[in-house]
Amino acid sequence: MLPRRPLIPSLLLLRPWSTMAVPPEHASPVQTGWPERYFVAESSGSDLVHFTLTSDRERPANRARPRCFLPLPGRCYSFCVPAAQSPRQRVWAARLHRKLQQRLSQEPVAAGRKILALLSYGPQDAALERGFLVQDEQPLPNTERSLEELLRLVLPAPAHLSVYEEAKDGELWHALWRLQGAAEGKELVCRTRVVATEEPTLHPACRHLLDTAVFSSLETARRVLEECTSLIPEAKAVLDLVDKCPQHPKKGDFPVMVIEGLDATGKTTLTQALKDSLNAILLRSPPPCVSQWRKIFDDEPTLIRRAFYALTNYILASEIARESAKSPVIVDRYWHSTAAYAIATEISGKVQNLPPLHHQVYHWPEDLLKPDIVILLTVSPKERIRRLLGRGMKKTREETELEANRFFRQKVEESYRRMENPACQPVDARPSREEVLKAVLHLIKNQCHLL
């Protein structure tokens, strides 16, 4: 079990003050020694709402009501998973977050209920906590009780419940409750005000992307999957394949060309045409030796799923090294795809919330075999959806998200554009197959000196 950090837990509940044991005018300050915490919730339209808690008895100058809290009679509930540091703790926390997500999705869907993503973080790179905010416009009587039962069952003891309540003057107050055993009730810990805050310069998740979503080396990804071998038998099989690969494989004398892009941008058609035109070997990511485990790891939380895909890149690198000694190599997706989707998934909100240009998360891992050129195929969203519908293929969870959320798609596309060393070279894939092939061959000729 993970040690509990002395932070303000973030299970949020909005209800009338009349139901509370202590009135707001008797509010207690945050317990001495508890570090400052901030919160960000992703509301409708991918807008981010930032707020914090303060123990000041004086009414704060900033009285703006955080938009993620519903007016009465609505209620809002949320909770975060305790922060973790070591690989073992991070795997535990990630699976716990996933379990809570699944349990919430299994609850009966009431009219007017929404579940929002929630982050809790501290200043100066303090540990990030992930959770959920549940909005109920018309709350059911047993909602609070069922959430308390869920917290007692899933979170490390003692679980905490934070109650956010509206006073008569319209201000929001926070009451922290410690949940005892099922038969012991709960204990009031402290009360604080709730105030809106300005958006930070850098999205709070940006500081935590490396080696939790985008892995900077084989070893950092390996440590995550090593902690999963007792939980996911296939993790051991993946690690066995990694162990059979040569360390730091070197590219052969022939060029390596990677084709990137969202689904339905023409990658399959182009890679096959390049294979025939250049008499090249065609490889795909992830390679066939691990493809049978994709669905298993796609159902795991981001930390584990991204570690799996990061390691498949290193397995693919050994194949690239071997084949590039004999002929040119075409690769259908590689590291850039793994990183772009991870960044877009982990950074909530819109494109402007992405890590800035030249952030380390966009840099190619130093221990991964590097291609000679990376081509990024692009088409308009309307054309891409038309092609997807025409294919009639089953979509992955991320492809479904791409279609449903234009902000997610924009973040993926922009993350591709920000990749460095090597950068992605965009090619408009709207023209005919022949024209696209001609444009790509021209880039290859100029950069790889192959033709």
Side-chain angles (χ1 to χ4, degrees):
M1 181 175 293
L2 292 178
R4 185 77 180 184
R5 290 175 60 85
L7 305 178
I8 301 175
S10 44
L11 181 67
L12 317 179
L13 168 64
L14 184 62
R15 62 182 180 183
W17 274 109
S18 60
T19 64
M20 300 301 298
V22 183
E25 57 267 22
H26 295 156
S28 303
V30 175
Q31 287 185 344
T32 302
W34 282 16
E36 187 176 12
R37 297 296 287 182
Y38 298 90
F39 302 86
V40 54
E42 185 173 12
S43 63
S44 59
S46 292
D47 290 327
L48 300 185
V49 181
H50 300 264
F51 63 96
T52 189
L53 311 175
T54 175
S55 59
D56 295 338
R57 291 182 179 274
E58 296 297 325
R59 181 172 297 175
N62 183 358
R63 294 189 60 199
R65 181 193 189 94
R67 299 189 311 277
C68 55
F69 295 99
L70 300 175
L72 294 173
R75 294 182 182 178
C76 297
Y77 314 81
S78 81
F79 41 91
C80 287
V81 175
Q85 298 296 334
S86 70
R88 176 169 296 182
Q89 292 175 336
R90 287 190 286 125
V91 166
W92 181 91
R95 288 176 67 88
L96 182 57
H97 182 272
R98 180 68 170 159
K99 182 177 181 179
L100 290 170
Q101 185 179 48
Q102 291 172 336
R103 290 289 299 269
L104 285 173
S105 66
Q106 293 168 359
E107 293 290 327
V109 180
R113 177 177 297 176
K114 294 181 180 178
I115 299 176
L116 310 181
L118 182 74
L119 296 177
S120 173
Y121 62 100
Q124 301 180 3
D125 299 340
L128 189 73
E129 296 185 346
R130 298 183 182 276
F132 309 93
L133 185 139
V134 182
Q135 297 178 331
D136 260 342
E137 293 181 359
Q138 299 294 331
L140 299 174
N142 64 342
T143 300
E144 179 182 349
R145 183 172 63 253
S146 64
L147 285 176
E148 289 182 2
E149 291 173 355
L150 177 62
L151 291 178
R152 288 188 174 100
L153 177 65
V154 177
L155 290 182
H160 288 79
L161 167 66
S162 288
V163 180
Y164 283 69
E165 300 173 332
E166 184 176 1
K168 293 180 180 179
D169 60 3
E171 289 201 55
L172 285 174
W173 284 80
H174 155 268
L176 175 65
W177 297 86
R178 181 182 294 112
L179 302 179
Q180 309 296 344
E184 299 174 6
K186 54 191 177 185
E187 174 188 4
L188 178 64
V189 178
C190 69
R191 294 187 185 281
T192 52
R193 291 181 185 268
V194 185
V195 295
T197 60
E198 294 183 358
E199 182 177 352
T201 303
L202 193 66
H203 189 286
C206 288
R207 301 185 181 96
H208 305 270
L209 282 174
L210 278 179
D211 300 330
T212 59
V214 179
F215 290 88
S216 59
S217 67
L218 182 150
E219 189 56 36
T220 55
R222 181 190 180 89
R223 284 199 291 266
V224 171
L225 239 61
E226 284 176 341
E227 298 297 337
C228 299
T229 53
S230 62
L231 308 169
I232 310 169
E234 292 77 9
K236 177 65 166 57
V238 174
L239 292 173
D240 288 342
L241 288 174
V242 172
D243 290 340
K244 295 177 182 177
C245 297
Q247 293 186 354
H248 308 295
K250 303 297 182 182
K251 188 180 76 67
D253 294 333
F254 289 90
V256 176
M257 298 149 280
V258 175
I259 308 300
E260 292 281 5
L262 305 181
D263 280 1
T265 53
K267 293 189 308 301
T268 301
T269 300
L270 177 63
T271 53
Q272 187 60 50
L274 287 173
K275 175 181 179 294
D276 297 337
S277 299
L278 303 176
N279 193 24
I281 294 294
L282 175 58
L283 301 177
R284 289 186 171 86
S285 177
C289 60
V290 295
S291 292
Q292 70 269 29
W293 301 317
R294 287 186 66 178
K295 187 179 187 309
I296 293 171
F297 286 96
D298 281 345
D299 289 336
E300 291 293 330
T302 295
L303 174 69
I304 300 171
R305 184 167 72 252
R306 296 306 171 192
F308 164 73
Y309 281 108
L311 291 178
T312 66
N313 284 327
Y314 287 92
I315 295 171
L316 178 61
S318 66
E319 297 184 13
I320 294 173
R322 181 174 62 252
E323 298 298 338
S324 62
K326 301 179 290 185
S327 66
V329 176
I330 308 296
V331 186
D332 187 343
R333 287 186 170 175
Y334 196 19
W335 181 83
H336 285 111
S337 288
T338 308
Y341 278 88
I343 295 168
T345 300
E346 292 300 289
I347 301 299
S348 55
K350 301 177 182 178
V351 172
Q352 59 264 33
N353 299 118
L354 289 174
L357 290 169
H358 312 304
H359 191 281
Q360 190 177 359
V361 77
Y362 300 121
H363 294 183
W364 190 272
E366 293 185 1
D367 63 346
L368 181 62
L369 186 149
K370 189 182 300 182
D372 294 282
I373 187 172
V374 181
I375 303 295
L376 176 64
L377 298 182
T378 64
V379 296
S380 68
K382 184 177 180 179
E383 171 63 15
R384 200 182 70 83
I385 292 176
R386 185 191 68 79
R387 294 182 182 185
L388 274 174
L389 293 175
R391 286 160 55 173
M393 295 179 63
K394 184 178 180 181
K395 305 179 186 68
T396 64
R397 182 172 59 192
E398 287 174 338
E399 267 303 317
T400 301
E401 177 72 7
L402 279 172
E403 293 182 32
N405 189 334
R406 64 185 176 91
F407 300 112
F408 180 70
R409 186 193 70 246
Q410 291 168 356
K411 288 185 291 185
V412 173
E413 292 173 334
E414 183 58 29
S415 295
Y416 269 129
R417 296 187 185 100
R418 297 186 183 187
M419 298 297 173
E420 297 183 35
N421 191 30
C424 294
Q425 301 190 38
V427 170
D428 186 357
R430 289 177 300 175
S432 67
R433 299 176 181 179
E434 293 75 19
E435 291 176 287
V436 174
L437 175 61
K438 182 179 178 180
V440 172
L441 287 174
H442 178 73
L443 286 173
I444 293 173
K445 177 180 179 180
N446 289 340
Q447 186 161 328
C448 301
H449 310 293
L450 181 64
L451 302 176

